[in-house]
Amino acid sequence: MTDRLSVEQQLQAAFPTLVPDPPSGNNMMRYRLDQARLPEIARYLHGQMHGRLALLFAVDGRPIAQTYELHYLFAVGSRQPWVLLTTELAGEHRLFTSITPSIHAAQWYEREIRDLFGLIPQGHPDLRRLIRHEHWPKGTHPLKKDFSWDTVMGRQQGNYRFRHIEGEGVFEVPVGPIHAGIIEPGHFRFSVAGEPIMQLEVRHFWKHRGVEKLFEQQLLTAAVPLAERVSGDTTIGHSLAYCQAVETLLRIDVPRRARYLRSLFLELERLHNHLGDVGAICNDTAYALPHAHCSRIKERLMQLNDRLTGSRFLRGVMCVGGVARDVDTKMLAETVNELNRIETDFSELESIIVANASLTDRLETTGVLTERTAWDHGVIGVVGRASGIDQDVRRDRPFAAYDEIPVNVALYRYGDVRARMRVRMDEIHESIRLIREIRHNIPTGPITGEPSRSPHHGEWALSAVEGWRGEILYVVMTGENGQIHRCKVRDPSFVNWPAIQWAVIGNIIPDFPLINKSFNLSYAGNDL
Amino acid sequence: MFRILKKSLKTGVVTGQHPDAIQPSKPLAPEVREKAAPFKRSLTIREVDTGSCNACEMEMNALTNPVYDVERFGIHIAASPRHADALVVTGPVTVNMERALKDVYKQTPDPKLVIALGDCAINCGVFKGSYAVTGPVERHIPVDVRIPGCPPRPVEILKALADIREKQQSSGK
Ligand code: SF4
């Protein structure tokens, strides 16, 4: 409770006229502000109070109110309430003041709002299209309420202007959207002079499927399958975040057993993804042996998922109110036994990997993301923790069963590929430990809870989950008759992608796949 | 070195340690069988993602792990469409990927097969109807083989690919 007062007090001390709105939940401070005051207060939160801009999103409130709302969400410290600044654009007003010049992390959010809502961030240094590729017809802003979700779009002629560096011996190397491996599409444009990379421009959103608009066509209780398919490798992370938001709206008390099972599934998802990544990082240095072993162990984990739930990706497991599948004592014991065997297996492999000097040579000092750059971009998750950003939702804002089974957060400072691999290795052991704890402490009881109310139009809830990549945020707003009015999805990839442009500078192009793999960001979760 | 050897010996051969396919794959149409004939015993695949949720990719990737080891069936994954006999396409075709898909198809030398992998590629799945999705793969390029599932399990993909290969052997000789 004292923490809560302190954030409020600090703000009050700096801005005596600032009064918080009645809080929407007990974990958030809300402030409604005038357009003109917002940049200053945002700057103060970011600069003085060390607040991370966690999310910036817009809502088209036009059917009811003649306004667009802009929401700026800041995370200030661990175990402190979120701070939300809200401002309105009334009537035909389409301009808002960009905060990107002082808060770098806002850059993609503001361009996204421009593309999807047609609101223009004044003073933004880069107003090129982000999601709307050049062939989208002018004036297409899909998240406006008067844009129909199943519009058939035409094509127009257009050009995308890449940033160019010119000079003697400077070459541009375009890569993608279709890559050489079995990976998702995205475009990377390198400017190189000789070997070292001088600049990388990431151009994404090839896979934009209109996910947020699709959510708006769904009922609150029926959108879990869509959430599972936002980013397939993060099935549990996304579906859990979505369910939690809806549960807040419907005031569902999730039974304890269900919360433990949720943690179990989330850790299982973390395990198989991290194992795949450790192997893939080694493979990108042409060290194939650990890759073979890791993908073998990963396959064991996927088969374990399949035995537990009937889905290798744990699909259909999460439901609004709890979980759809119970895991009985026998299966739990079997899971822990299998994980114990896997841990031994992995530990042997780990000692082979860390003892390899030539591998270490490739990984150390490669693709360094400094703590400063990471902070400026609001980088989170595995990538953040490898660069000294001490952040983990499981510890900072406990959800599921993490208030009862505390997590030890892995933290490294060097920010290179090796640090990102080490974070993953540590988290593999930690996840297995957590699952042992879960098995030990799991209570008996029901696995789903019932809604105790129906939310009214315009109410919304925020939920945060530490997926295996990092913090996943969902904001769900109710519409009429249990429909979704707005669902903002924020995968950690969206925040971390811009940072990769800085991590590669000075490295050579052949190291790019390695650096990219060590970030291993989702294209699907980013493009939505 | 000793550690590595020990690990390899201890691990043994894991290939084939997976549960069997539950869903029987559909028999191939005769014209597809004919089309596949020239590839005889080897099939080189180029994977193209046109907007999937990435689970289908992960299962394609799983095919190359030691457990499924797709190479033992003469199936290779190529880095470029110019080296490919077959395109495996995953995901609904988004507006932004439409052109890239058509380009890839053009760049793949004839004769070629197109395999639509996963429900999205076959009928757009949960993304059906969206403004950002132009339709399933077959709206843009002719599809020969369909592997349903969301995502299909690696064994099911393996089975479907092995089917193509088998038919090739019997009709190719
Ligand atoms: S078929 Fe399913 S798993 Fe495959 S891309 Fe579509 S949603 Fe993802």
Side-chain angles (χ1 to χ4, degrees):
Chain A
M1 224 36 212
T2 49
D3 284 349
R4 185 189 175 84
L5 283 176
S6 82
V7 171
E8 191 181 341
Q9 280 169 341
Q10 276 185 55
L11 273 173
Q12 193 105 55
F15 305 95
T17 53
L18 201 63
V19 195
D21 257 27
S24 58
N26 54 5
N27 60 353
M28 189 186 290
M29 306 287 309
R30 298 180 64 174
Y31 295 92
R32 253 181 198 283
L33 300 171
D34 199 54
Q35 256 291 318
R37 285 189 79 192
L38 191 125
E40 179 198 6
I41 295 172
R43 257 201 310 275
Y44 184 83
L45 270 165
H46 180 77
Q48 246 59 44
M49 290 173 66
H50 211 64
R52 168 173 62 88
L53 179 72
L55 182 63
L56 201 178
F57 67 101
V59 177
D60 182 357
R62 284 183 308 161
I64 336 156
Q66 287 302 312
T67 55
Y68 290 96
E69 277 185 344
L70 292 171
H71 299 272
Y72 301 70
L73 185 75
F74 287 88
V76 188
S78 164
R79 290 198 182 251
Q80 306 240 25
W82 299 99
V83 179
L84 183 85
L85 309 180
T86 302
T87 185
E88 268 175 15
L89 293 183
E92 288 305 296
H93 212 64
R94 288 290 138 77
L95 300 174
F96 65 101
T97 318
S98 167
I99 57 166
T100 303
S102 43
I103 304 175
H104 206 80
Q107 52 159 347
W108 270 23
Y109 289 118
E110 289 185 337
R111 285 172 72 186
E112 179 190 49
I113 289 173
R114 171 163 189 232
D115 277 2
L116 299 180
F117 290 89
L119 308 174
I120 298 164
Q122 257 184 322
H124 193 294
D126 180 3
L127 277 177
R128 288 173 302 168
R129 290 178 171 200
L130 185 69
I131 297 169
R132 296 179 300 159
H133 278 193
E134 59 282 355
H135 55 76
W136 289 39
K138 228 177 153 185
T140 314
H141 302 294
L143 284 187
K144 283 166 76 165
K145 282 289 170 191
D146 43 21
F147 182 93
S148 160
W149 74 282
D150 53 0
T151 307
V152 178
M153 272 203 290
R155 278 183 100 88
Q156 69 165 32
Q157 286 294 329
N159 264 323
Y160 183 82
R161 284 173 294 110
F162 283 94
R163 285 192 304 258
H164 294 294
I165 292 188
E166 278 167 22
E168 206 184 309
V170 180
F171 287 92
E172 268 184 26
V173 184
V175 181
I178 297 175
H179 301 285
I182 306 180
I183 51 169
E184 303 175 70
H187 184 92
F188 301 99
R189 187 159 296 217
F190 301 93
S191 299
V192 289
E195 288 262 42
I197 299 169
M198 298 170 74
Q199 173 186 265
L200 162 64
E201 186 169 352
V202 174
R203 184 165 190 236
H204 276 337
F205 303 94
W206 301 87
K207 300 181 76 171
H208 178 72
R209 294 147 292 163
V211 169
E212 291 181 345
K213 193 79 178 178
L214 283 168
F215 268 110
E216 293 176 11
Q217 313 314 314
Q218 304 255 8
L219 290 176
L220 275 176
T221 45
V224 183
L226 182 57
E228 286 178 336
R229 286 158 182 79
V230 169
S231 178
D233 49 13
T234 323
T235 297
I236 291 292
H238 276 274
S239 55
L240 176 56
Y242 174 76
C243 287
Q244 285 184 0
V246 176
E247 283 149 11
T248 314
L249 285 171
L250 302 178
R251 299 255 167 84
I252 301 178
D253 205 8
V254 180
R256 258 183 87 214
R257 184 175 178 83
R259 290 196 281 119
Y260 270 80
L261 289 172
R262 285 179 164 186
S263 289
L264 168 73
F265 295 134
L266 194 64
E267 296 308 324
L268 282 171
E269 184 169 87
R270 193 181 320 279
L271 272 174
H272 78 73
N273 279 299
H274 277 1
L275 263 156
D277 284 352
V278 170
I281 290 173
C282 296
N283 195 41
D284 275 349
T285 67
Y287 187 25
L289 179 101
H291 178 57
H293 278 295
C294 281
S295 52
R296 167 180 65 81
I297 304 175
K298 178 183 168 139
E299 178 62 28
R300 273 171 82 175
L301 285 160
M302 302 288 278
Q303 290 182 12
L304 176 67
N305 289 348
D306 204 356
R307 287 201 297 280
L308 277 177
T309 65
S311 162
R312 291 163 55 89
F313 288 85
L314 302 166
R315 287 205 167 147
V317 166
M318 222 38 89
C319 68
V320 172
V323 288
R325 272 174 179 271
D326 206 347
V327 179
D328 61 23
T329 332
K330 202 173 128 252
M331 260 330 271
L332 259 178
E334 209 183 300
T335 306
V336 170
N337 286 341
E338 172 76 348
L339 289 180
N340 286 341
R341 286 192 294 269
I342 283 174
E343 190 169 27
T344 322
D345 197 346
F346 179 68
S347 299
E348 289 167 7
L349 186 61
E350 209 178 354
S351 58
I352 294 174
I353 295 174
V354 292
N356 188 318
S358 59
L359 179 76
T360 308
D361 189 46
R362 275 297 295 279
L363 304 186
E364 266 183 351
T365 68
T366 302
V368 176
L369 181 70
T370 60
E371 185 171 348
R372 180 62 208 263
T373 314
W375 163 251
D376 282 347
H377 285 84
V379 166
I380 43 177
V382 169
V383 180
R385 289 194 286 277
S387 293
I389 305 286
D390 190 8
Q391 177 272 345
D392 189 314
V393 190
R394 293 176 293 172
R395 180 201 59 200
D396 299 341
R397 296 179 173 78
F399 56 95
Y402 297 109
D403 48 348
E404 296 175 26
I405 38 168
V407 180
N408 302 316
V409 178
L411 189 68
Y412 288 80
R413 301 214 171 264
Y414 308 112
D416 54 6
V417 175
R418 187 159 187 267
R420 290 189 277 275
M421 188 170 83
R422 293 308 293 255
V423 169
R424 290 190 170 93
M425 286 172 159
D426 288 3
E427 290 190 357
I428 288 171
H429 293 290
E430 179 65 7
S431 287
I432 296 179
R433 184 190 72 80
L434 286 170
I435 293 176
R436 275 192 219 112
E437 294 272 310
I438 289 169
R439 183 213 168 185
H440 209 247
N441 296 330
I442 192 166
T444 52
I447 53 166
T448 47
E450 286 302 314
S452 55
R453 70 194 274 268
S454 55
H456 37 83
H457 201 309
E459 242 184 293
W460 59 272
L462 165 78
S463 125
V465 160
E466 186 74 19
W468 64 274
R469 276 198 184 90
E471 176 193 74
I472 300 167
L473 294 177
Y474 268 70
V475 173
V476 181
M477 190 182 242
T478 32
E480 275 157 23
N481 309 323
Q483 288 274 133
I484 298 172
H485 180 77
R486 171 92 170 96
C487 179
K488 174 70 201 143
V489 181
R490 212 286 326 269
D491 190 85
S493 310
F494 186 81
V495 182
N496 291 354
W497 268 120
I500 205 172
Q501 302 177 128
W502 301 94
V504 298
I505 291 178
N507 288 268
I508 56 176
I509 289 190
D511 271 343
F512 174 71
L514 177 62
I515 299 169
N516 195 17
K517 202 78 244 173
S518 73
F519 274 66
N520 194 13
L521 303 172
S522 168
Y523 298 68
N526 175 71
D527 301 355
L528 293 179
Chain B
M1 192 64 216
F2 179 66
R3 250 197 299 228
I4 296 175
L5 279 176
K6 193 174 148 209
K7 182 83 189 152
S8 301
L9 287 174
K10 206 170 144 187
T11 307
V13 178
V14 295
T15 310
Q17 288 179 8
H18 55 75
D20 291 335
I22 308 168
Q23 269 191 7
S25 53
K26 272 201 230 117
L28 291 182
E31 61 274 16
V32 175
R33 197 181 303 175
E34 205 165 297
K35 225 174 144 185
F39 307 121
K40 296 237 163 90
R41 289 180 190 201
S42 99
L43 182 70
T44 304
I45 287 173
R46 168 71 250 177
E47 203 270 352
V48 183
D49 169 1
T50 55
S52 81
C53 76
N54 78 24
C56 279
E57 269 70 70
M58 272 177 79
E59 296 299 47
M60 266 312 277
N61 265 321
L63 286 184
T64 59
N65 74 23
V67 178
Y68 298 103
D69 190 19
V70 72
E71 299 251 346
R72 71 196 148 119
F73 298 115
I75 297 165
H76 313 282
I77 315 266
S80 161
R82 295 192 197 277
H83 303 156
D85 305 320
L87 290 177
V88 170
V89 189
T90 58
V93 184
T94 62
V95 268
N96 290 350
M97 279 304 286
E98 182 187 337
R99 176 148 316 152
L101 175 68
K102 287 179 179 159
D103 283 351
V104 163
Y105 183 73
K106 265 188 237 135
Q107 285 169 20
T108 313
D110 281 323
K112 58 194 163 198
L113 290 174
V114 176
I115 303 169
L117 178 70
D119 291 349
C120 281
I122 298 170
N123 59 24
C124 295
V126 292
F127 307 111
K128 195 177 192 159
S130 162
Y131 65 89
V133 167
T134 60
V137 177
E138 63 183 1
R139 220 197 117 205
H140 300 289
I141 57 175
V143 172
D144 303 302
V145 182
R146 292 172 180 79
I147 309 177
C150 184
R153 289 188 170 79
V155 250
E156 289 158 13
I157 307 175
L158 204 60
K159 181 82 182 32
L161 293 179
D163 274 359
I164 299 174
R165 188 187 127 268
E166 235 161 59
K167 301 289 155 47
Q168 282 168 27
Q169 274 181 350
S170 51
S171 60
K173 278 189 184 159

